[in-house]
């Protein structure tokens, strides 16, 4: 997870570097800059880190300067792709804790963990609507192709937004909530 970046020269240097305890701060800064998701207050970030011993991604929360780092959850699993709620009180993320990738919501202090999806398909890349009432997310339900879905957070009802054979990814809402932008592989040969 740490090495997703268009800057290939940097990635090759980072991959070949030997990890030492003194590099922990550097890795945190890199993770915060490349992969961190800033909270609405701009003073807190959430980021993924793969612990070398455990080998599985875990979500951490820290002050934007890297201090006060802590795991988001007391009992982490394979957790990734965090998204802050617009009010800054909760985080939605993808977890494989129940066998398949599903969406979960938790309070910023790590309490109140709740499954939002339980479909055997792969559900990932959630983004909150500006009003915090809906999520747009990527799912392989109904056919195995990655399409966009909308989840109403009060009822947990889902509605398919896109269809197609190519796959749609990384959705994001416009600030007014009227549009959703995303990348797509529709039409690629």
């Amino acid at each position: 997870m740490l090495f997703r970046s268009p800057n290939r020269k940097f990635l090759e240097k980072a991959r070949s570097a030997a990890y030492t305890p003194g590099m922990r701060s550097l890795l945190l800064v890199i993770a915060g800059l490349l992969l961190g998701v800033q909270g609405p207050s701009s003073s807190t970030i959430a980021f993924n880190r793969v612990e070398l011993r455990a080998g599985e991604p875990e979500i951490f929360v820290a002050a934007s300067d890297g201090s006060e780092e802590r795991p988001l959850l007391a009992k982490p699993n394979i957790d990734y792709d965090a998204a802050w709620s617009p009010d800054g009180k909760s985080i939605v993320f993808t977890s494989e804790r129940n066998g398949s990738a599903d969406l979960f919501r938790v309070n910023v202090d790590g309490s109140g963990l709740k499954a939002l999806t339980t479909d055997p398909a792969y559900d990932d890349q959630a983004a909150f609507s500006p009003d915090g009432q809906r999520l747009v997310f990527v799912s392989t339900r109904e056919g195995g192709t990655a399409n966009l879905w909308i989840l109403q957070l009060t009822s947990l009802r889902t509605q398919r937004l896109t269809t197609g054979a190519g796959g749609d990814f990384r959705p994001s809402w416009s600030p007014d909530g009227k549009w959703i932008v995303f990348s797509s592989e529709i039409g690629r040969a």
Side-chain angles (χ1 to χ4, degrees):
M1 296 292 177
L2 178 60
F3 299 116
R4 283 188 191 166
S5 171
N7 187 339
R8 296 219 186 276
K9 191 177 283 185
F10 169 79
L11 292 182
E12 289 181 22
K13 287 181 182 179
R15 282 188 186 131
S16 65
Y19 180 80
T20 64
M23 289 179 64
R24 182 168 190 224
S25 296
L26 175 62
L27 289 175
L28 288 176
V29 170
I30 293 168
L33 293 175
L34 295 179
L35 300 172
V37 179
Q38 193 167 341
S41 71
S42 77
S43 63
T44 309
I45 59 171
F47 60 93
N48 275 66
R49 182 173 67 216
V50 178
E51 289 291 337
L52 295 177
R53 286 165 283 167
E56 296 184 353
E58 182 178 346
I59 298 171
F60 288 79
V61 177
S64 59
D65 67 2
S67 65
E68 301 174 37
E69 176 195 322
R70 65 172 174 78
L72 176 61
L73 300 165
K75 293 183 179 180
N77 202 291
I78 302 173
D79 303 324
Y80 48 95
D81 282 344
W84 289 87
S85 63
D87 65 8
K89 295 179 180 178
S90 64
I91 294 174
V92 167
F93 62 96
T94 303
S95 180
E96 298 178 23
R97 63 187 57 240
N98 293 334
S100 66
D102 285 306
L103 301 178
F104 287 78
R105 188 175 195 168
V106 68
N107 297 325
V108 176
D109 67 3
S111 67
L113 181 65
K114 178 182 179 182
L116 299 176
T117 62
T118 57
D119 196 280
Y122 188 85
D123 295 339
D124 188 20
Q125 302 175 11
F128 276 94
S129 60
D131 64 7
Q133 300 298 308
R134 297 169 290 165
L135 293 174
V136 61
F137 66 100
V138 174
S139 182
T140 58
R141 57 184 74 196
E142 293 187 15
T145 299
N147 284 296
L148 301 185
W149 290 72
I150 300 288
L151 174 72
Q152 301 292 333
L153 288 168
T154 52
S155 66
L156 299 184
R157 284 191 179 171
T158 58
Q159 177 183 356
R160 187 181 213 166
L161 186 62
T162 63
T163 60
D168 301 321
F169 306 95
R170 294 289 170 204
S172 182
W173 295 83
S174 64
D176 63 7
K178 293 180 181 179
W179 299 91
I180 295 171
V181 296
F182 57 94
S183 60
S184 181
E185 293 184 353
I186 293 175
R188 286 184 86 182

